[in-house]
Amino acid sequence: MASPGISRRGLLKGAGAGLAVGALPLPASSTPDFDPPAGAVAVSSANGLGTVAHAVKRMSEDRLRPVSAAVEGVGIVEADPNDLSVGLGGLPDEDGKVTLDAACMDGPTHNAGSVGAIQDILHPARVAELVMDRTDHVNLVADGARRFALEHGFKPTELLTERARRIWLKWRAKRTNDDRLWPLGDREPVDPALQGEARPWGTIHCSALAQDGSLGCCTTTSGLAFKIPGRIGDSPLIGCGLYCDNGVGSAGATGRGEAAILSGGSWLVVERMRAGDTPEEACLHALRRVGKQARKGANWQPILWAGVRPSFGLTFYAVRKDGLYGSASMLGKPGSKKFAVADGAGARLEACAIAFPS
Ligand code: ASP
């Protein structure tokens, strides 16, 4: 059966290619015609309740384009010193420097911008938007990205808070080796704020759909805590930490960035929606693919796989062009992982599907 929201015309197009829409895989070029959405929708990681509410309000009331609504929305978390995974207050690299990654993508123009390993800039997602709008490039990194931001009027800002500095000091004091070969090692977490993880990831992704069916998205992060200086994750990489196609939908990732990079995860989620998956099915498909890849990787890095499941967290978020949305996370008990969504019914947290439930 076709997923809700795919029109009869879309079905016929699929059938014309010799396949029903529900029978995967469709040829990659076959895009169903989706019904128009009932209104604006935004999804994000669970730390983005204010983000999705803001994005939907700006799209609905001010007709702001979805990518800008997402960039503005994640700006709330970038400026929050209590979020240890994004912007101000983010945990630093192994040298104690906060380096940020961010990217955004605009559905209607199929354009994108990103900054990687940028320092001292409070709103890297806004810089990524300027890279998209004001240059012919997609990626700027490190000092070049910082200089570009300063040229556009951003003021240098100290992003290392006292709380993050103390956590970093504790990590540094407990470090017993170069801490590079086994980034998922089972050392004790250095701070209760890290919720049991020795070396946490953390990020915000927001995918936004406007009432006219246009799409945009944004991902912004301080990346893996205590990372090797110069490491960038999936967040600034188009197709990995975020991707949108204005004819299909938008998706993004949080969690172990290396896994989203090695799978082209967000691109895969969008392509699965093109082939007829619901957003939740598409996210689950991508996570199972990542699981298979981790099983192979376990040959050289055994800690990627723990018994019957991957040993790391990864979550995908997706919204389809007709307004259907969903999310799935790699690990956990059913109902234990949440994502944020806002639409005409307001902002709320909903449960992610789980790819490898415990
Ligand atoms: N994906 C981000 C990274 O690998 C971090 C995270 O989402 O937790 O840099």
Side-chain angles (χ1 to χ4, degrees):
M1 219 177 105
S3 311
I6 297 180
S7 71
R8 191 167 170 275
R9 217 167 106 221
L11 263 174
L12 291 174
K13 215 160 128 189
L19 289 158
V21 167
L24 304 179
L26 283 177
S29 59
S30 179
T31 303
D33 294 325
F34 293 103
D35 291 337
V41 181
V43 292
S44 83
S45 33
N47 52 351
L49 212 46
T51 297
V52 290
H54 182 89
V56 164
K57 182 169 182 292
R58 292 286 276 141
M59 290 188 286
S60 311
E61 292 178 11
D62 309 319
R63 297 287 186 256
L64 191 65
R65 63 179 181 170
V67 64
S68 300
V71 167
E72 267 194 25
V74 300
I76 298 169
V77 182
E78 287 176 333
D80 178 359
N82 294 315
D83 192 310
L84 291 168
S85 67
V86 179
L88 178 66
L91 291 173
D93 67 13
E94 69 178 30
D95 288 345
K97 299 260 186 320
V98 180
T99 66
L100 305 178
D101 297 339
C104 65
M105 188 158 188
D106 177 48
T109 57
H110 203 73
N111 198 7
S114 93
V115 292
I118 191 171
Q119 292 187 30
D120 306 329
I121 300 295
L122 177 57
H123 288 298
R126 176 79 189 115
V127 185
E129 191 180 17
L130 285 168
V131 173
M132 177 178 81
D133 286 339
R134 299 213 184 162
T135 79
D136 186 32
H137 304 337
V138 174
N139 305 310
L140 290 182
V141 300
D143 193 46
R146 183 175 181 276
R147 275 170 41 204
F148 176 84
L150 296 179
E151 280 161 18
H152 285 82
F154 289 76
K155 301 279 174 262
T157 306
E158 177 53 76
L159 300 174
L160 185 66
T161 58
E162 187 50 25
R163 180 181 177 211
R165 194 179 72 86
R166 284 178 184 280
I167 294 173
W168 168 72
L169 283 174
K170 278 199 225 170
W171 167 81
R172 207 178 56 164
K174 289 179 119 185
R175 193 170 152 186
T176 50
N177 56 27
D178 72 7
D179 196 32
R180 290 182 172 186
L181 277 176
W182 308 112
L184 294 168
D186 60 356
R187 292 176 311 282
E188 289 294 302
V190 291
D191 192 277
L194 305 189
Q195 297 178 345
E197 291 194 63
R199 189 167 185 160
W201 285 266
T203 292
I204 180 162
H205 167 77
C206 178
S207 274
L209 168 75
Q211 51 280 13
D212 68 357
S214 58
L215 289 145
C217 56
C218 177
T219 304
T220 179
T221 187
S222 53
L224 174 66
F226 324 130
K227 60 197 170 188
I228 297 173
R231 180 260 191 196
I232 59 167
D234 58 320
S235 308
L237 300 180
I238 305 305
C240 304
L242 73 167
Y243 187 72
C244 74
D245 180 313
N246 213 49
V248 179
S250 177
T254 63
R256 181 173 160 80
E258 280 69 14
I261 295 169
L262 292 170
S263 59
S266 294
W267 180 86
L268 177 59
V269 171
V270 172
E271 288 308 302
R272 289 297 298 189
M273 291 195 287
R274 188 195 306 282
D277 274 1
T278 65
E280 184 177 290
E281 287 166 351
C283 294
L284 282 170
H285 178 94
L287 289 169
R288 290 185 187 124
R289 175 86 59 89
V290 169
K292 281 191 190 145
Q293 292 163 347
R295 190 93 182 85
K296 290 184 195 162
N299 292 333
W300 66 273
Q301 200 174 4
I303 51 165
L304 288 178
W305 191 260
V308 293
R309 54 178 67 88
S311 61
F312 53 86
L314 182 64
T315 305
F316 288 110
Y317 314 85
V319 62
R320 209 170 62 175
K321 194 168 175 68
D322 57 3
L324 201 62
Y325 60 84
S327 169
S329 199
M330 186 70 94
L331 303 171
K333 295 194 191 318
S336 62
K337 298 282 173 67
K338 307 280 186 210
F339 68 103
V341 58
D343 54 18
R348 58 200 175 271
L349 293 179
E350 292 193 10
C352 306
I354 304 288
F356 295 85
S358 46

